[in-house]
Amino acid sequence: MLCFLLLQLLVSCGREQTSTQQKEEILLQDGLGRELHLPKQPKRVLALAASMTEMLFAVCDTATIVARTPNCDFPEGVYKKPVVNNYPVDYEQVLLLRPDLVFTVEGITPLETAERLKELGVLVYYLKFRTVEDIFKGLETIGEIVGREQQAKQLADSLRREVAQIEVRHKEQATTPRVLAIAGYDPIYVYGHSTVITDKLRILGAANAVEESFGAQSREYILKANPDVLLGGKPEEMEKGFFSIYPELRKINAYQQKRMYGPTQDLMGRASPRVVESIRELEGFLYP
Amino acid sequence: MSKTGYVVLALLLMLLVLLLGLLVGSFETDISLLADTFLRYDPDNLTHFSILHLRLPRLVLALVVGASLAFCGYLMQAMVNNGLADPYLLGTASGASLGAVIVFSGFVPITILGFYMPSLFALLGALGSTLLVILLGYRKGQLIPTQLILAGVALSSLAMAFVSLLTFLSDSESKLKSVVFWSMGSFERAGWTTLMYPSLALLLGLLLFAFLQKQLNILLLGADRAQALGVQVAQTRWLILVTVSIITGFAVATSGSIGFVGLIVPHVTRALMGASGKANLWFCAFVGGFFMLLCDLLSRLLYPPVGLPIGIITSFFGVPFFVYLLSRKNYKFSS
């Protein structure tokens, strides 16, 4: 009679938890609370989101990363990897690459895609990010899953220290600039309150001018929010592509005071280890 | 209720909805603030500015677009003598969608010299598509309604296939959102400058057909009977086609494609006013405008502050009422 000894290793990551069963089988719980039973520690991984590919490159042995999506462009090493389509997911290509685990982010990969991949024998692990700290915990979680806890923790801690230094600089400042970050011009889509950008702004002593969740907003809402700073493009870009469509919004403070900036799209939109770089870029805009 | 009663009731309801529409928005507004805006307008007061430059043009645009679609729906149903016809029968909506999606996909800048290109391309798409359908429906010096309908269906399908292809190939989420929002209709971009062309087109169309209401009612009896009764069928059909193309083109170009209004409001008009009412066209435009105003108000109340895409509301609230009207025993498409 064969006996199996199972030892559960619980890993906490905010609301995310991973538990590992010793020997071969590993039980994981992802950011959406889904349970995944991995037959062994993953040795071949890929991500279905550009931000997650950056996370994998920061933590994993790059030889274990077996693919990139068409949108992945950082770090330079991604270009050496074969491309797998993520929208819609190229199931055959995924099967061909034989990943032990696929990483993705909430909102990027539909749950039905994950279920279809599960039917095909490929498990999908979701992470979700609301704050900068969530990103660092995400790095640690990936480290624990792929067996590189030490490297992941070192990286996360060094990033935490950098963020703490920035935060200290803006802790006692007298004014709190109100910032509107625009994700799309037509219709007007804004980074809402429950996004990482809100936390980045908090670290910088600023505030998100939007109190709603991510989504489309009306011109009147933006007039009422009356932000001091607009993140969505350089003044000439915003004049041409935004204010020419919505001339009524020229009344807001940010336009009157010409405080419009174009953050690097990838830094702004991706929850990745480059979040510190993104905070520094925003700091340059807010406090020139 | 008498026909005059319906008109008075509709007028009162419209005024009420207009007033409510002016009160709903991100800035808290009450009646006294509203009065203040109109009596002592202060351009530096953002609430005053919002009421006068965002809310009011939005309401007027909803009114104009609703009236335009209903009016064109009435004309199209008379022209092809078919209750299933609507202003988009000639491929106008799908042509306009294709035009707008070409811009949203990045082939053309969003603005050129300050002009909003999606609207311009939507107008070109609408007129181009209509022209092609007319060419296909024109045989031996005559417009053949059945051929027009089939050509419209075929060209709409082709245009929508291109729209789907461009949407699928879209490389960014914001482009996708632009396409989706546009295809479901919205009055969010309304401003005083955007109102001029659709309003002028509608007004001219209404004035022109005010003199042709009798011919239209006879046309509803069928082309042969209309011809026998002295209606110049071919000329009237051409006039309808040109009018519908231009008015629908402007309506779709400013607000995206909004379904059902052009189909159901003409039926509502005939159900309330009779199939051969003398002022049916005007009443139809009026009800269309009122219905769209109501839908816009509902959309903003249900999903503040930006409002649900208007096409969703017109279908949700319009279709049950339409089904009720159709189920009434005394309803007839023509007299």
Side-chain angles (χ1 to χ4, degrees), chain B residues 12-23:
Chain B
L12 288 173
L13 282 173
M14 182 185 273
L15 284 175
L16 182 68
V17 175
L18 263 173
L19 186 68
L20 288 173
L22 283 174
L23 291 171

Side-chain angles (χ1 to χ4, degrees), chain B residues 135-201:
Chain B
L135 285 175
L136 290 169
Y138 188 70
R139 283 281 177 280
K140 295 174 188 168
Q142 274 199 325
L143 285 166
I144 319 286
T146 321
Q147 201 129 349
L148 271 178
I149 295 173
L150 289 174
V153 170
L155 268 178
S156 288
S157 301
L158 186 65
M160 288 319 287
F162 277 111
V163 168
S164 303
L165 179 69
L166 290 172
T167 309
F168 179 76
L169 295 177
S170 176
D171 58 357
S172 87
E173 208 181 329
S174 63
K175 285 179 188 172
L176 270 178
K177 280 173 181 150
S178 298
V179 174
V180 170
F181 242 70
W182 200 88
S183 63
M184 291 190 283
S186 165
F187 300 120
E188 179 49 30
R189 280 187 300 271
W192 291 117
T193 46
T194 51
L195 269 167
M196 192 170 68
Y197 297 110
S199 311
L200 197 64

Side-chain angles (χ1 to χ4, degrees), chain A residues 41-176:
Chain A
Q41 189 160 59
K43 296 289 176 214
R44 295 172 64 81
V45 293
L46 67 88
L48 292 176
S51 58
M52 283 308 303
T53 300
E54 291 194 28
M55 301 276 274
L56 294 186
F57 267 85
V59 173
C60 302
D61 172 355
T62 52
T64 64
I65 303 167
V66 295
R68 70 175 173 102
T69 72
N71 322 101
C72 297
D73 54 8
F74 189 89
E76 198 61 32
V78 291
Y79 292 108
K80 292 178 185 156
K81 303 292 177 186
V83 176
V84 61
N85 213 49
N86 59 339
Y87 177 75
V89 169
D90 184 343
Y91 295 109
E92 277 195 36
Q93 177 76 352
V94 173
L95 287 180
L96 192 71
L97 292 161
R98 295 177 290 108
D100 299 320
L101 188 61
V102 170
F103 287 91
T104 194
V105 188
E106 178 198 28
I108 295 283
T109 308
L111 276 169
E112 59 266 29
T113 302
E115 285 307 305
R116 179 73 185 123
L117 281 169
K118 190 180 171 188
E119 286 168 15
L120 298 170
V122 178
L123 296 176
V124 180
Y125 188 97
Y126 282 87
L127 280 115
K128 67 174 180 187
F129 309 109
R130 296 286 182 275
T131 63
V132 173
E133 179 56 28
D134 286 346
I135 299 173
F136 302 152
K137 284 181 178 167
L139 287 169
E140 290 170 340
T141 303
I142 294 169
E144 284 147 9
I145 293 171
V146 300
R148 288 169 73 93
E149 296 93 332
Q150 192 83 26
Q151 293 93 324
K153 184 152 178 42
Q154 275 176 4
L155 173 64
D157 285 344
S158 78
L159 293 173
R160 280 188 185 106
R161 278 193 295 276
E162 288 186 63
V163 169
Q165 282 169 6
I166 299 170
E167 196 171 354
V168 163
R169 288 204 286 270
H170 303 287
K171 204 137 203 166
E172 303 296 329
Q173 70 190 28
T175 55
T176 306

Side-chain angles (χ1 to χ4, degrees), chain B residues 3-332:
Chain B
K3 287 175 186 176
T4 319
Y6 280 128
V7 173
V8 173
L9 181 69
L11 263 173
L12 288 173
L13 282 173
M14 182 185 273
L15 284 175
L16 182 68
V17 175
L18 263 173
L19 186 68
L20 288 173
L22 283 174
L23 291 171
V24 176
S26 294
F27 288 101
E28 273 186 35
T29 314
D30 56 21
I31 296 284
S32 66
L33 185 59
L34 209 57
D36 214 34
T37 304
F38 290 104
L39 299 173
R40 287 176 288 277
Y41 178 68
D42 172 9
D44 293 327
N45 181 322
L46 288 182
T47 312
H48 286 190
F49 181 81
S50 291
I51 292 169
L52 211 59
H53 291 276
L54 300 180
R55 292 185 201 172
L56 191 57
R58 181 187 178 119
L59 294 173
V60 179
L61 184 65
L63 198 70
V64 168
V65 169
S68 296
L69 294 176
F71 171 66
C72 291
Y74 193 96
L75 290 180
M76 286 306 291
Q77 289 177 7
M79 193 193 86
V80 298
N81 194 26
N82 189 326
L84 288 174
D86 76 358
Y88 303 146
L89 188 75
L90 305 173
T92 322
S94 14
S97 295
L98 180 58
V101 172
I102 285 172
V103 182
F104 289 134
S105 300
F107 294 104
V108 179
I110 290 283
T111 53
I112 296 178
L113 300 171
F115 286 102
Y116 183 63
M117 286 299 115
S119 289
L120 184 63
F121 271 68
L123 183 63
L124 293 176
L127 295 180
S129 166
T130 311
L131 186 67
L132 266 176
V133 171
I134 292 172
L135 285 175
L136 290 169
Y138 188 70
R139 283 281 177 280
K140 295 174 188 168
Q142 274 199 325
L143 285 166
I144 319 286
T146 321
Q147 201 129 349
L148 271 178
I149 295 173
L150 289 174
V153 170
L155 268 178
S156 288
S157 301
L158 186 65
M160 288 319 287
F162 277 111
V163 168
S164 303
L165 179 69
L166 290 172
T167 309
F168 179 76
L169 295 177
S170 176
D171 58 357
S172 87
E173 208 181 329
S174 63
K175 285 179 188 172
L176 270 178
K177 280 173 181 150
S178 298
V179 174
V180 170
F181 242 70
W182 200 88
S183 63
M184 291 190 283
S186 165
F187 300 120
E188 179 49 30
R189 280 187 300 271
W192 291 117
T193 46
T194 51
L195 269 167
M196 192 170 68
Y197 297 110
S199 311
L200 197 64
L202 173 67
L203 199 64
L204 290 176
L206 277 169
L207 287 173
L208 177 68
F209 279 92
F211 300 104
L212 298 171
Q213 176 73 64
K214 198 175 162 190
Q215 281 90 325
L216 281 177
N217 289 342
I218 298 173
L219 206 57
L220 282 170
L221 301 170
D224 294 339
R225 288 175 73 184
Q227 192 82 50
L229 289 167
V231 174
Q232 293 187 311
V233 175
Q235 285 91 328
T236 312
R237 278 179 175 163
W238 271 111
L239 210 55
I240 290 174
L241 273 184
V242 174
T243 310
V244 168
S245 311
I246 294 171
I247 295 178
T248 311
F250 277 119
V252 179
T254 44
S255 333
S257 65
I258 301 166
F260 285 102
V261 181
L263 174 70
I264 63 174
V265 176
H267 289 278
V268 173
T269 304
R270 281 187 289 268
L272 296 175
M273 307 294 278
S276 56
K278 283 177 189 165
N280 270 11
L281 259 182
W282 285 79
F283 189 72
C284 183
F286 180 76
V287 173
F290 169 66
F291 177 66
M292 197 67 94
L293 263 181
L294 192 62
C295 287
D296 180 56
L297 178 65
L298 283 171
S299 89
R300 286 188 290 144
L301 287 172
L302 290 173
Y303 191 71
V306 72
L308 283 170
I310 199 75
I312 295 175
I313 301 288
T314 54
S315 305
F316 269 154
F317 292 93
V319 173
F321 184 58
F322 180 49
V323 170
Y324 158 73
L325 279 178
L326 288 185
S327 65
R328 283 187 1 171
K329 282 181 187 162
N330 57 350
Y331 176 69
K332 282 180 189 168

